[in-house]
Amino acid sequence: MMSSRTLALALVLPLTACMLAESYDFDGYQLAPGAGQGGAGAAGEAGAGGEVSGSSGQAGAGAGGEAGAGAGGESGSSGQAGAGGEAGAAGCGSLFDAFEDKDGDGIGSEVSKKLCAPEAGWVFQKGDCHDGNKDVYPGQLSFFAQPYTDLNGGPSFDYNCDGNEQVTGAVEAIKVCNKPFCDQGKEGYEENAAPLGKVNRLCGSTVKVKCEGSGAACGATKSEGPAVGCR
């Protein structure tokens, strides 16, 4: 029959062995109670895309063991840089006043807007006194035998928008042949009874005049000729 002392030792020895087994590894080094190996750190989040390039994500720190000398987790991978944004549209260095050119003669009316580059139907010079007639614009060099209808509904020979009606060449209006020398054979045109345009009664005239004879026989000979052109 086992004594009480022997029974006590029988209970204590296995317990001690168990405790020693939990406190020492096979190499004899002591471990802290509850020590374990830490899990791998979580990967860092991807960086947010910026206007030009995204910032890199932060590296994820590995979680350490719960206690003692457990190995720490590995650092997480850095996030990828964000994708670059699209290039912005080219800016406009300077704005200019552009004027509407309905008739396509290269000169605009008073209707305007701001532009930094040429645009169909708009030009950078104004002054067209009739933007519905391509023959009428400042700087017009041609002469015309027929008037056009201006913006007020009346006839005009002012094709170059200078406010006048200039006769072509050296055409002269002849009203009378002066005696006794009869103006030495002077030629010109008879003025119209009323302006065919605004002010110049010579514009559009088709009656040629030539002073002939001398003394009492001096007189004007009339004939039909090409219409006098004006601008």
Side-chain angles (χ1 to χ4, degrees), residues 135-137 140-148 155-173 189-192 195-206 226-231:
D135 292 325
V136 181
Y137 58 86
Q140 172 63 270
L141 298 178
S142 299
F143 293 88
F144 297 84
Q146 297 295 325
Y148 69 90
S156 175
F157 281 93
D158 183 19
Y159 280 86
N160 63 1
C161 298
D162 67 354
N164 299 307
E165 293 175 329
Q166 176 188 353
V167 175
T168 181
V171 176
E172 182 178 352
Y189 274 80
E190 182 179 73
E191 291 183 325
N192 296 305
L196 296 182
K198 287 186 175 299
V199 293
N200 195 328
R201 292 192 294 168
L202 195 56
C203 293
S205 172
T206 60
V228 175
C230 291
R231 67 182 182 198

Side-chain angles (χ1 to χ4, degrees), residues 90-133:
C92 182
S94 299
L95 287 173
F96 300 93
D97 290 322
F99 305 93
E100 189 173 24
D101 181 18
K102 291 182 179 179
D103 56 18
D105 58 16
I107 308 295
S109 65
E110 295 296 322
V111 179
S112 67
K113 68 178 181 178
K114 297 288 186 181
L115 288 178
C116 63
E119 182 178 308
W122 295 84
V123 294
F124 295 121
Q125 182 179 351
K126 67 176 181 177
D128 195 337
C129 57
H130 196 307
D131 199 31
N133 188 329

Side-chain angles (χ1 to χ4, degrees), residues 1-11:
M1 185 172 178
M2 188 179 295
S3 65
S4 58
R5 179 183 179 94
T6 301
L7 179 60
L9 286 174
L11 294 175

